Amino acid sequence: MKKAPVRPKQRKFFASRRPVETLALLGSLLLLFGCGGANTTTSPAIGNGSMSGTAVYGPMNNAVLKAFAISNGVAGGQLGSSATDAQGSFTVAIGNYSGPVMLQVSGGSYTDDATGTSMPMQPSDVMTSVVPAVTAGSTTTGIQVTPLTSMAQARAQNMAGGMTDTNIAAANAAMASYFSVGDVLHTPPMNPLAPGSAASASQDAKNYGMIIAAMSQYAATIGMPNSSSVITAMMEDASDSVLDGMMGGTPISMNGMGGMTGGAMMQPTAGSTELATAMARFMTSAMNKSGVTASDMQPLVTQLAGSGGQVPGMGGGTSSGAISGTAVYGPMNGGSMAALAITNGMMGAQLSSSAIDAQGNFTVSIGNYSGPVMLRMSGGTYTDDATGTTMTMQSDVMTAALPSVTAGSTTTGIQVNPLTSMAQARAQNMAGGMTDASIAAANVAMASYFSVGDPLHTSPMNPQTPGSGAGATQDAKNYGMAIAGMSEYAKTIGMTTSSGVITAMMDDATDGVMNGMMGSTAISMSGMGGMGGGMMGGGGAMMQSNAGTSGMAAAMTAFIGNSAVNRSGVTAADMQSLVAKLSTSNGMLQ
C-alpha cells in the first residue's frame, strides 16, 4: 500500500524545508527564476535562430518567457527571453544554438477559466515545455506552453538520462495519449471562454482546452484561491508517470499552494477521476461559452475516470515494479497477460502487458504504480485436462484481482486460473467494486468454497503430469482437480472448446451464489465454447442450476476415475471430502 501521508510542510520552493523530491524536480526550472538570474544567463550566440508560440492557461498576458539550453539531460544556460503579449504569444531569440530546448513561463496574469477573473501567476509557479533538438539558426514556430507540456517536461526530467531527445519525445507523446490530444507541443488549445469556439475546433483542440479548464475548475473546487498552483501540483504528480497524488513514494503537500491552508494533501485521484468530474462540472457552467457539449467530451471524461492515473507508455515511472506468476487451465502456452490499474473499485487503465511462455509463466511490469491490480489473460492455447487435446482460448479470459501493491514492488507466484477469475468477478460485483476489502473477501470465499487455502498463491497440481499427486499438498490437489472438474464438465455438456465454461462460472459467481443465475437472470450458454441450441435435454443452452455444485462434483468424480487423463495418482478417496462438500453445497460463496 501507499505510505501514510507525511506531515504537511510549508510550501517554499527556495527553502530547505521543502521535501528533497520537489527540489530535485523543480531545481532546473528555478535555476534562473526570479531575481539573480543574471549570474547564470548566457548571451545568445551569433545567429538568428528563434522559437515562437503561445503560453496558455487562459491566455498568459505579459508573462516572461525564457529559453534554456539542455545539456546532458538537464537545463543549462539561458539562451534568450521575451514577454508574452495579451494573447499569450511570444517569440524568443536563441541565436545559433542547436540541441534540445526548455521553455519556461513565469509571472504575468491570465483569465481563470472557472471563475472568469484575472489572476496573477504566483511567484512559485511556472509553466514549461521541452522541445527536441533544434537546428542552429532555425526558426521553430507554433510551440505551446501549457499545463500539459509542463507535466511532460517534469516527466522527461525524471526519466533515466533526463531530458534527452528520446525522453522528451516519449513524455510529450505519453501526455498526449493520456489526455487524448494528438500533439501537446503543437496543437493550440481551444479557448472555452470564447463564444462558439468549438464550432471550428478539432477534437484534439477541444480536449486540450477543456483539460486546462478542468484544472482551473478543480482548483476552484478544492478552494485554491489562485489556480496557477494546480499546475505545479500536476507537474509534481506527473514526475513519476503515475498521477496518484504522489512524487514517487511521497504524498504531495498542497499547503501554501495558491493560498491553500490547513495541511492539505493532494488527492490520489486529482489527475484522473477528479479531473473528469471537474471537466463535467465546467461544461455545464456559465463560463463554458465554447458550445462544447457533454457528448463531445464523453470519451475523454470516461478515459480519465478509468485511467487509474497511469500515464500510457511510460512503463509505470522511475521504479521497476512487476508481477509474475502462472496462468493455468491445463498448461497454458502463448497468449498475453495484461496488468490493469483498479480505480474506485473498477478496472482502469492498462499498466502493461506481456507474453505468456510455453509453461504459462508471465511477468508484467507495473512500474511505479501502487494500488489494487487486476490481471487479465487472453489468447493462447492450452492442453485440455478432460480430453488431452490442444485447444485455443476463445474470446474467454481468465482474471485475478490483487489487493494493493506498493509502488516499485515485485510480487511473485500469482496464479491466474478459473478460480481466481470467479473471485475477481465476485469482487467486481460487490458493493464498492474491487476494493482491497472486496478483493480479499472474494478470494477467501473462493478458497473456502473449493477447499483451497489461497487461490492467489497456491500452485494447482497438474493432473496431466504422471505421479504429480505424490508430492502435492491437499490444497494443491483440490485446486488442480477443481480445474480439471470444470474441463470435464465442459466435455459432459458438449462444449467443443472448454474455455467457455470459465466465462459461465465467472458469470455464475458474480452474485455470490453458484446456481446458474446472475442475480435473477438465468445464464445463457448458447455460443459458449461451441455450444448449440440445447444441452442435456434442455432447450436454449441455459446453464444448469447445479453446474457449480453437484454438477462439478460429478464431473470431478468422473475425471478422477479416468486413468487415461488423470495421471496424477490422486484417487477418489483423496478427493472425497471436496466431492462431498460440492455435492451437498447450496452454492453460497461465503
Side-chain angles (χ1 to χ4, degrees):
M1 293 186 179
K2 293 184 178 180
K3 297 180 181 178
V6 297
R7 181 173 304 204
K9 298 183 179 181
Q10 180 64 33
R11 180 181 188 78
K12 292 184 179 179
F13 287 137
F14 306 107
S16 61
R17 295 171 65 194
R18 182 65 186 161
V20 172
E21 294 95 330
T22 301
L23 291 175
L25 169 64
L26 296 175
S28 70
L29 302 183
L30 300 173
L31 181 65
L32 300 167
F33 186 70
C35 297
N39 290 334
T40 52
T41 300
T42 61
S43 299
I46 297 172
N48 59 355
S50 68
M51 302 183 75
S52 63
T54 311
V56 181
Y57 186 58
M60 296 297 304
N61 180 25
N62 198 33
V64 177
L65 184 288
K66 296 178 181 179
F68 296 96
I70 294 175
S71 178
N72 295 321
V74 298
Q78 183 176 314
L79 301 171
S81 67
S82 71
T84 64
D85 66 16
Q87 286 72 50
S89 300
F90 65 85
T91 298
V92 61
I94 60 171
N96 206 42
Y97 174 78
S98 64
V101 177
M102 184 178 89
L103 301 177
Q104 175 187 287
V105 172
S106 60
S109 63
Y110 59 94
T111 302
D112 181 60
D113 284 334
T115 64
T117 60
S118 179
M119 293 184 179
M121 191 81 162
Q122 294 295 285
S124 56
D125 303 319
V126 296
M127 290 198 303
T128 56
S129 188
V130 276
V131 182
V134 298
T135 306
S138 63
T139 298
T140 304
T141 62
I143 298 299
Q144 305 298 307
V145 185
T146 71
L148 273 60
T149 64
S150 303
M151 294 165 73
Q153 181 274 318
R155 178 62 199 127
Q157 181 174 314
N158 282 269
M159 294 171 71
M163 292 181 284
T164 63
D165 279 355
T166 299
N167 287 349
I168 289 169
N172 282 326
M175 209 54 63
S177 177
Y178 187 81
F179 291 110
S180 293
V181 177
D183 181 353
V184 294
L185 203 56
H186 299 97
T187 301
M190 177 197 73
N191 181 358
L193 302 185
S197 55
S200 59
S202 66
Q203 189 61 50
D204 283 349
K206 293 176 185 177
N207 290 353
Y208 209 159
M210 295 304 278
I211 279 293
I212 294 172
M215 292 184 185
S216 169
Q217 185 68 52
Y218 177 71
T221 300
I222 63 175
M224 188 178 276
N226 191 293
S227 66
S228 69
S229 291
V230 83
I231 303 170
T232 298
M234 291 291 177
M235 289 173 69
E236 292 181 5
D237 202 3
S239 64
D240 60 5
S241 88
V242 185
L243 297 175
D244 59 356
M246 309 272 280
M247 287 181 68
T250 303
I252 297 169
S253 172
M254 299 182 73
N255 193 34
M257 282 192 182
M260 292 282 286
T261 58
M265 308 304 291
M266 191 174 190
Q267 296 177 23
T269 55
S272 53
T273 55
E274 295 300 322
L275 268 185
T277 300
M279 187 184 299
R281 184 176 293 118
F282 178 83
M283 280 188 293
T284 60
S285 76
M287 297 311 302
N288 176 23
K289 301 178 176 66
S290 66
V292 166
T293 64
S295 60
D296 292 330
M297 303 307 301
Q298 189 57 52
L300 178 54
V301 168
T302 301
Q303 178 173 308
L304 288 173
S307 70
Q310 176 64 49
V311 179
M314 288 283 96
T318 55
S319 297
S320 54
I323 298 174
S324 62
T326 310
V328 179
Y329 185 57
M332 302 294 303
N333 181 12
S336 66
M337 184 68 69
L340 302 110
I342 294 174
T343 179
N344 293 328
M346 299 300 293
M347 181 180 73
Q350 181 171 307
L351 303 174
S352 70
S353 64
S354 69
I356 295 170
D357 70 15
Q359 287 72 49
N361 299 315
F362 65 88
T363 298
V364 286
S365 172
I366 58 169
N368 206 44
Y369 173 78
S370 62
V373 177
M374 181 176 137
L375 299 176
R376 183 178 61 196
M377 180 268 170
S378 59
T381 62
Y382 60 95
T383 304
D384 181 59
D385 283 334
T387 64
T389 60
T390 298
M391 294 184 178
T392 300
M393 196 81 166
Q394 298 299 296
S395 57
D396 311 297
V397 298
M398 293 197 299
T399 58
L402 285 64
S404 288
V405 298
T406 305
S409 63
T410 298
T411 304
T412 61
I414 297 299
Q415 305 299 306
V416 181
N417 54 58
L419 271 61
T420 63
S421 303
M422 294 164 71
Q424 180 273 316
R426 175 66 191 126
Q428 184 171 315
N429 284 270
M430 294 171 71
M434 292 181 285
T435 62
D436 280 354
S438 295
I439 291 169
N443 282 321
V444 167
M446 206 56 61
S448 176
Y449 191 80
F450 287 105
S451 296
V452 176
D454 180 355
L456 272 182
H457 299 95
T458 300
S459 299
M461 176 198 72
N462 182 0
Q464 300 178 36
T465 301
S468 56
T473 65
Q474 190 62 50
D475 280 351
K477 292 176 185 177
N478 290 351
Y479 210 160
M481 286 302 184
I483 294 172
M486 292 184 189
S487 170
E488 184 70 35
Y489 182 75
K491 184 182 77 170
T492 301
I493 64 175
M495 275 190 176
T496 55
T497 302
S498 64
S499 66
V501 82
I502 303 171
T503 298
M505 291 290 179
M506 289 174 70
D507 289 347
D508 201 4
T510 57
D511 59 3
V513 186
M514 303 298 295
N515 61 356
M517 309 274 282
M518 289 181 70
S520 59
T521 304
I523 297 169
S524 172
M525 299 181 72
S526 183
M528 284 189 182
M531 291 286 290
M535 58 176 279
M536 299 182 71
M542 305 307 291
M543 190 174 191
Q544 298 292 293
S545 61
N546 68 344
T549 54
S550 58
M552 271 287 296
M556 191 183 299
T557 300
F559 179 86
I560 294 166
N562 185 352
S563 60
V565 287
N566 175 24
R567 301 181 179 90
S568 65
V570 169
T571 65
D574 294 325
M575 300 306 302
Q576 185 54 44
S577 178
L578 178 55
V579 167
K581 182 179 183 180
L582 290 173
S583 295
T584 58
S585 172
N586 62 5
M588 295 293 295
L589 299 175
Q590 298 175 339

